[in-house]
Amino acid sequence: MGLSKPQIIGLSVLGAILLASATSKNFLTIPNTSFSRNDSNFVDRNNAPDAKLFIVSSESDSQKAINEINSYRKVNGKSPINYSTKAYQLAMARAKDMNQYNYFDYTNPQTKLCADTMKLEYGFKPQEYLSESLYRYVPRGANIGIAESKTLSDATREWIDYQKNDVNSNFLFNYHLAGAVGCDGNKCVFLGLNGEGYGKGCATARG
Protein backbone atom coordinates (compact mmCIF):
# COMPACT_ATOMS: atom_id res chain seq x y z
CA MET A 1 0.00 0.00 0.00
CA GLY A 2 1.37 3.42 -0.99
CA LEU A 3 1.71 6.36 1.38
CA SER A 4 -0.85 9.13 1.29
CA LYS A 5 0.23 12.67 0.43
CA PRO A 6 -0.04 13.86 4.09
CA GLN A 7 2.11 10.89 5.18
CA ILE A 8 4.77 11.69 2.58
CA ILE A 9 4.85 15.35 3.66
CA GLY A 10 5.07 14.30 7.32
CA LEU A 11 8.03 11.99 6.65
CA SER A 12 9.81 14.70 4.67
CA VAL A 13 9.42 17.20 7.52
CA LEU A 14 10.63 14.63 10.06
CA GLY A 15 13.67 13.84 7.91
CA ALA A 16 14.55 17.53 7.68
CA ILE A 17 14.29 17.91 11.46
CA LEU A 18 16.51 14.88 12.08
CA LEU A 19 19.08 16.12 9.56
CA ALA A 20 19.18 19.56 11.17
CA SER A 21 19.66 17.99 14.60
CA ALA A 22 22.42 15.68 13.40
CA THR A 23 24.44 18.50 11.89
CA SER A 24 24.13 20.93 14.79
CA LYS A 25 27.56 21.56 16.33
CA ASN A 26 25.85 22.34 19.64
CA PHE A 27 24.62 18.75 20.06
CA LEU A 28 27.58 17.31 21.94
CA THR A 29 26.70 13.62 22.02
CA ILE A 30 26.68 13.07 18.25
CA PRO A 31 29.79 11.65 16.53
CA ASN A 32 32.64 13.59 14.93
CA THR A 33 30.39 14.60 12.05
CA SER A 34 29.34 17.58 14.18
CA PHE A 35 32.79 19.17 13.97
CA SER A 36 33.54 22.17 11.79
CA ARG A 37 36.25 24.81 11.53
CA ASN A 38 34.19 27.01 13.85
CA ASP A 39 34.31 24.47 16.68
CA SER A 40 36.82 24.76 19.50
CA ASN A 41 37.59 21.09 18.82
CA PHE A 42 39.38 22.29 15.68
CA VAL A 43 41.90 25.07 16.39
CA ASP A 44 43.97 26.26 13.43
CA ARG A 45 45.39 29.64 14.59
CA ASN A 46 45.94 30.90 11.04
CA ASN A 47 47.17 28.88 8.10
CA ALA A 48 50.83 29.84 8.55
CA PRO A 49 53.92 27.73 7.72
CA ASP A 50 54.59 24.83 10.08
CA ALA A 51 58.39 24.68 10.11
CA LYS A 52 59.17 27.20 12.85
CA LEU A 53 57.85 25.37 15.88
CA PHE A 54 58.34 21.98 17.47
CA ILE A 55 56.30 20.70 20.41
CA VAL A 56 58.09 18.18 22.62
CA SER A 57 55.72 15.22 22.91
CA SER A 58 56.89 12.31 25.05
CA GLU A 59 54.52 10.02 26.89
CA SER A 60 55.33 11.74 30.19
CA ASP A 61 54.44 15.07 28.52
CA SER A 62 51.13 13.56 27.44
CA GLN A 63 50.40 12.46 31.00
CA LYS A 64 51.02 16.03 32.18
CA ALA A 65 48.70 17.30 29.45
CA ILE A 66 45.92 15.03 30.74
CA ASN A 67 46.51 16.51 34.19
CA GLU A 68 45.96 19.98 32.65
CA ILE A 69 42.76 18.76 31.01
CA ASN A 70 41.58 17.22 34.29
CA SER A 71 42.15 20.54 36.07
CA TYR A 72 39.99 22.18 33.40
CA ARG A 73 37.35 19.47 33.82
CA LYS A 74 37.33 19.92 37.60
CA VAL A 75 36.71 23.67 37.31
CA ASN A 76 33.74 22.84 35.08
CA GLY A 77 32.31 20.21 37.40
CA LYS A 78 33.41 17.21 35.32
CA SER A 79 34.94 13.97 36.54
CA PRO A 80 38.63 13.39 35.76
CA ILE A 81 39.66 11.00 33.00
CA ASN A 82 42.42 8.42 33.09
CA TYR A 83 45.54 8.53 30.97
CA SER A 84 45.66 5.96 28.13
CA THR A 85 48.94 4.77 26.59
CA LYS A 86 47.01 3.33 23.64
CA ALA A 87 45.30 6.67 23.04
CA TYR A 88 48.70 8.39 23.17
CA GLN A 89 50.12 6.03 20.54
CA LEU A 90 47.13 6.61 18.26
CA ALA A 91 47.20 10.39 18.82
CA MET A 92 50.89 10.44 17.84
CA ALA A 93 50.15 8.36 14.76
CA ARG A 94 47.38 10.78 13.75
CA ALA A 95 49.61 13.85 14.21
CA LYS A 96 52.45 12.26 12.25
CA ASP A 97 50.03 11.20 9.51
CA MET A 98 48.93 14.83 9.05
CA ASN A 99 52.53 15.95 8.61
CA GLN A 100 53.45 13.05 6.34
CA TYR A 101 50.50 13.70 4.02
CA ASN A 102 50.47 17.49 4.49
CA TYR A 103 46.91 18.02 5.69
CA PHE A 104 45.11 19.19 8.85
CA ASP A 105 41.78 17.46 9.32
CA TYR A 106 40.02 14.56 11.00
CA THR A 107 40.33 12.34 7.93
CA ASN A 108 43.30 11.82 5.62
CA PRO A 109 42.05 13.06 2.21
CA GLN A 110 44.28 10.57 0.38
CA THR A 111 44.02 7.36 2.41
CA LYS A 112 40.57 8.16 3.91
CA LEU A 113 41.83 6.88 7.28
CA CYS A 114 40.80 8.49 10.57
CA ALA A 115 41.06 7.70 14.28
CA ASP A 116 38.01 5.44 14.16
CA THR A 117 39.36 3.32 11.29
CA MET A 118 42.85 3.16 12.82
CA LYS A 119 41.83 2.28 16.40
CA LEU A 120 41.83 -1.53 16.07
CA GLU A 121 45.49 -1.42 15.08
CA TYR A 122 46.24 0.23 18.44
CA GLY A 123 44.38 -2.30 20.57
CA PHE A 124 40.97 -0.66 20.91
CA LYS A 125 37.76 -2.65 20.64
CA PRO A 126 35.07 -1.91 18.02
CA GLN A 127 32.72 -0.67 20.76
CA GLU A 128 35.34 1.77 22.08
CA TYR A 129 35.24 5.23 20.49
CA LEU A 130 37.78 8.03 20.36
CA SER A 131 36.55 11.57 19.88
CA GLU A 132 39.29 13.65 18.29
CA SER A 133 40.20 17.31 18.69
CA LEU A 134 42.89 19.05 16.64
CA TYR A 135 45.22 21.92 17.48
CA ARG A 136 47.72 23.62 15.20
CA TYR A 137 50.01 25.98 17.06
CA VAL A 138 51.51 28.91 15.18
CA PRO A 139 53.80 31.56 16.79
CA ARG A 140 52.40 35.08 16.80
CA GLY A 141 53.61 38.64 17.15
CA ALA A 142 57.29 39.00 17.91
CA ASN A 143 57.79 35.22 17.74
CA ILE A 144 56.81 34.88 14.07
CA GLY A 145 59.74 33.64 12.04
CA ILE A 146 61.72 32.56 15.13
CA ALA A 147 62.44 28.87 15.68
CA GLU A 148 60.66 27.88 18.88
CA SER A 149 59.96 24.80 20.96
CA LYS A 150 57.23 24.25 23.55
CA THR A 151 56.25 21.46 25.88
CA LEU A 152 53.07 19.57 25.17
CA SER A 153 51.75 20.71 28.55
CA ASP A 154 52.28 24.37 27.57
CA ALA A 155 50.54 23.81 24.26
CA THR A 156 47.63 22.09 26.02
CA ARG A 157 47.14 25.03 28.39
CA GLU A 158 47.00 27.43 25.42
CA TRP A 159 44.62 25.04 23.65
CA ILE A 160 42.33 25.09 26.69
CA ASP A 161 42.43 28.91 26.73
CA TYR A 162 40.98 28.94 23.20
CA GLN A 163 37.89 27.02 24.28
CA LYS A 164 37.25 28.13 27.85
CA ASN A 165 33.83 29.53 26.93
CA ASP A 166 32.73 26.45 24.98
CA VAL A 167 30.58 24.10 27.08
CA ASN A 168 30.63 21.68 24.12
CA SER A 169 34.39 21.29 24.24
CA ASN A 170 35.56 17.74 23.66
CA PHE A 171 37.76 18.18 26.74
CA LEU A 172 34.56 18.46 28.81
CA PHE A 173 32.57 15.56 27.38
CA ASN A 174 30.81 13.91 30.33
CA TYR A 175 31.39 10.31 29.30
CA HIS A 176 35.08 10.22 28.43
CA LEU A 177 36.80 7.52 30.48
CA ALA A 178 40.39 8.12 29.42
CA GLY A 179 42.44 9.98 26.85
CA ALA A 180 45.78 11.31 25.72
CA VAL A 181 47.38 14.14 23.75
CA GLY A 182 50.09 13.68 21.13
CA CYS A 183 51.93 16.27 19.00
CA ASP A 184 54.16 16.09 15.97
CA GLY A 185 55.79 19.33 14.84
CA ASN A 186 53.14 21.91 15.67
CA LYS A 187 50.08 19.69 15.16
CA CYS A 188 48.44 18.22 18.26
CA VAL A 189 45.71 15.60 18.66
CA PHE A 190 43.55 14.92 21.72
CA LEU A 191 41.66 11.63 21.80
CA GLY A 192 38.93 11.09 24.38
CA LEU A 193 37.99 7.45 24.96
CA ASN A 194 34.30 6.68 25.52
CA GLY A 195 31.68 4.01 24.93
CA GLU A 196 28.94 6.38 23.81
CA GLY A 197 29.64 6.44 20.08
CA TYR A 198 31.22 9.92 20.28
CA GLY A 199 33.88 9.74 17.57
CA LYS A 200 32.26 7.05 15.45
CA GLY A 201 33.11 7.21 11.75
CA CYS A 202 35.33 9.54 9.73
CA ALA A 203 34.55 13.24 9.51
CA THR A 204 36.03 16.31 7.86
CA ALA A 205 36.38 19.87 9.11
CA ARG A 206 36.67 21.30 5.61
CA GLY A 207 34.23 23.90 4.48
Side-chain angles (χ1 to χ4, degrees):
M1 181 182 294
L3 295 174
S4 67
K5 187 174 181 180
Q7 287 175 317
I8 293 173
I9 293 173
L11 288 175
S12 298
V13 171
L14 177 60
I17 293 172
L18 291 175
L19 179 61
S21 297
T23 55
S24 170
K25 70 175 184 177
N26 293 320
F27 188 32
L28 182 61
T29 56
I30 65 176
N32 278 348
T33 48
S34 68
F35 294 164
S36 74
R37 286 192 183 274
N38 294 322
D39 289 325
S40 63
N41 293 323
F42 186 101
V43 181
D44 199 345
R45 284 198 59 183
N46 295 332
N47 193 23
D50 291 338
K52 297 297 182 181
L53 183 132
F54 177 78
I55 297 172
V56 178
S57 183
S58 68
E59 187 163 9
S60 62
D61 291 317
S62 184
Q63 290 171 328
K64 292 176 183 177
I66 291 300
N67 289 338
E68 297 289 347
I69 290 170
N70 278 334
S71 295
Y72 178 51
R73 289 177 65 87
K74 183 177 180 180
V75 169
N76 286 274
K78 308 295 183 179
S79 300
I81 63 174
N82 295 318
Y83 173 78
S84 168
T85 294
K86 292 188 296 184
Y88 169 72
Q89 293 169 344
L90 179 53
M92 287 298 300
R94 286 284 301 122
K96 290 178 179 179
D97 188 73
M98 283 188 279
N99 281 328
Q100 179 182 350
Y101 287 88
N102 193 29
Y103 73 99
F104 183 64
D105 206 341
Y106 300 110
T107 301
N108 186 318
Q110 296 183 49
T111 67
K112 307 304 180 184
L113 294 175
C114 67
D116 194 44
T117 55
M118 296 168 66
K119 67 184 181 184
L120 297 181
E121 182 182 349
Y122 290 86
F124 292 101
K125 299 175 182 178
Q127 66 270 27
E128 293 180 311
Y129 299 95
L130 295 128
S131 181
E132 182 177 71
S133 294
L134 304 180
Y135 182 69
R136 184 173 183 268
Y137 181 85
V138 177
R140 287 183 177 237
N143 291 327
I144 293 177
I146 299 175
E148 185 181 354
S149 66
K150 300 182 76 69
T151 69
L152 192 155
S153 185
D154 289 337
T156 302
R157 282 196 296 271
E158 294 181 21
W159 192 352
I160 289 170
D161 284 340
Y162 273 88
Q163 53 186 16
K164 276 191 172 178
N165 296 321
D166 185 2
V167 296
N168 289 340
S169 164
N170 191 25
F171 289 164
L172 298 180
F173 183 56
N174 279 328
Y175 303 106
H176 283 327
L177 304 174
V181 182
C183 299
D184 184 67
N186 72 337
K187 295 183 180 72
C188 296
V189 174
F190 165 72
L191 293 174
L193 175 65
N194 66 89
E196 305 299 314
Y198 191 39
K200 182 179 180 179
C202 292
T204 179
R206 294 181 180 184

